[in-house]
Amino acid sequence: MEALSQKVSAAFADRTKLKEVEFADAVRETLALLDAGALRVAEKGPEGWRVNAWVKEAILLYFAVAQMQVMEVGPFEFHDKVPLKKGLEAAGVRVVPPGVVRYGAFVEKGAVVMPGYVNIGARVGAGTMVDTWATVGSCAQVGRNVHLSGGVGLGGVLEPPTASPVIIEDGAFIGSRCIVVEGVVVEEEAVLGANVVLTSSTQIIDVTGPEERIHKGRVPARSVVIPGMREKQFPSGKYGVPCALIIGQRTKSTDQKTSLNTALRDFAVAV
């Protein structure tokens, strides 16, 4: 793996090397390992999430070595460089038409992709539901037993290669039409109410105590979050700026699958 990463990084630094077979093959081999789940863009360790920048470099280089091709699926025709993922039955993954999982993404056994989209470099854990029109952007890391409700948008983060992707940890519930972009991390079993928008600069305000606590780029584990607004002074006057409000915590006494749907209702918030 070390030799593979060195070749990829060398080609990323000097793209003329892609004309040499060994470097182009290193890119293709990396994508094959990524597609098979033997590699991933980011991994969680004792010190938190770590990005494998060279894997992201390989994805970017793949667009240079791959050729445009016509792909036909029944009456549908596509023209692109990245083929669709194959071997879904053997992998134990359910994909409902016209759901799309792109080559270079990995979906674990037992996950379900409704008519949504999983982009190259992404990873979706076992037992996770990618609901209708939900999109899992390039390199996004989605844990196990996560629910991405209808219309959820997880942003893709390919460049720069060192940038952290969007990460949704195990057991999280992401409500309808939520948007999570710019490498935001939603920690284990957190719940986002419908229409929450999180960017790297969004203030995520814990309002459960006597004084607010502000987070950015991270939703703490088991938090229940809804959309919010706070006033900000501009030269022309005061205006409401979007934020997110942590209004409580999921209760440990509630069964996980039930609480995914009831946690928001406990706080009188629509799922």
Side-chain angles (χ1 to χ4, degrees):
M1 204 67 73
E2 181 65 26
L4 193 64
S5 66
Q6 288 177 357
K7 288 179 182 178
V8 168
S9 293
F12 192 78
D14 178 7
R15 297 201 178 198
T16 62
K17 290 185 180 293
L18 291 176
K19 297 177 182 178
E20 302 177 38
V21 173
E22 63 175 311
F23 290 97
D25 283 350
V27 171
R28 295 188 182 96
E29 183 179 349
T30 302
L31 263 292
L33 291 169
L34 193 61
D35 187 75
L39 276 179
R40 57 188 300 169
V41 165
E43 300 173 274
K44 189 176 184 180
E47 298 180 358
W49 286 91
R50 177 178 61 86
V51 178
N52 294 319
W54 71 275
V55 178
K56 292 178 73 176
E57 290 174 348
I59 295 171
L60 291 165
L61 292 173
Y62 182 73
F63 293 111
V65 300
Q67 301 297 313
M68 293 293 291
Q69 57 181 306
V70 174
M71 295 170 277
E72 294 186 354
V73 183
F76 299 100
E77 181 181 290
F78 303 92
H79 187 220
D80 191 28
K81 289 188 172 187
V82 182
L84 301 180
K85 190 173 185 68
K86 294 184 178 180
L88 298 174
E89 182 180 8
V93 176
R94 180 185 172 199
V95 179
V96 178
V100 171
V101 181
R102 231 173 169 198
Y103 176 75
F106 181 68
V107 183
E108 289 185 343
K109 183 177 181 180
V112 177
V113 180
M114 296 299 283
Y117 185 77
V118 181
N119 207 348
I120 189 170
R123 188 179 180 102
V124 177
T128 287
M129 165 69 78
V130 180
D131 220 329
T132 305
W133 309 134
T135 56
V136 181
S138 53
C139 301
Q141 305 291 290
V142 181
R144 295 176 175 175
N145 301 311
V146 169
H147 191 112
L148 302 180
S149 300
V152 164
L154 305 184
V157 183
L158 260 178
E159 296 183 273
T162 54
S164 178
V166 170
I167 295 168
I168 311 294
E169 294 188 345
D170 294 354
F173 181 86
I174 313 299
S176 298
R177 300 300 190 267
C178 284
I179 298 173
V180 185
V181 297
E182 297 179 354
V184 170
V185 178
V186 178
E187 293 183 351
E188 289 187 8
E189 299 182 358
V191 178
L192 304 188
N195 295 311
V196 169
V197 177
L198 300 177
T199 72
S200 60
S201 60
T202 301
Q203 289 192 345
I204 303 165
I205 309 169
D206 188 335
V207 296
T208 59
E211 295 184 1
E212 67 178 31
R213 288 179 292 169
I214 297 177
H215 305 270
K216 285 187 178 180
R218 179 182 71 89
V219 175
R222 301 189 65 81
S223 296
V224 178
V225 183
I226 64 171
M229 197 76 69
R230 74 181 318 164
E231 279 192 344
K232 184 173 181 180
Q233 182 69 47
F234 292 93
S236 59
K238 286 185 178 180
Y239 296 90
V241 175
C243 65
L245 304 177
I246 298 174
I247 59 171
Q249 297 284 310
R250 282 173 61 172
T251 57
K252 294 181 179 180
S253 61
T254 312
D255 173 74
Q256 182 175 333
K257 288 188 177 180
T258 303
S259 66
L260 286 175
N261 292 287
T262 62
L264 285 167
R265 295 192 183 103
D266 289 344
F267 293 94
V269 176
V271 174

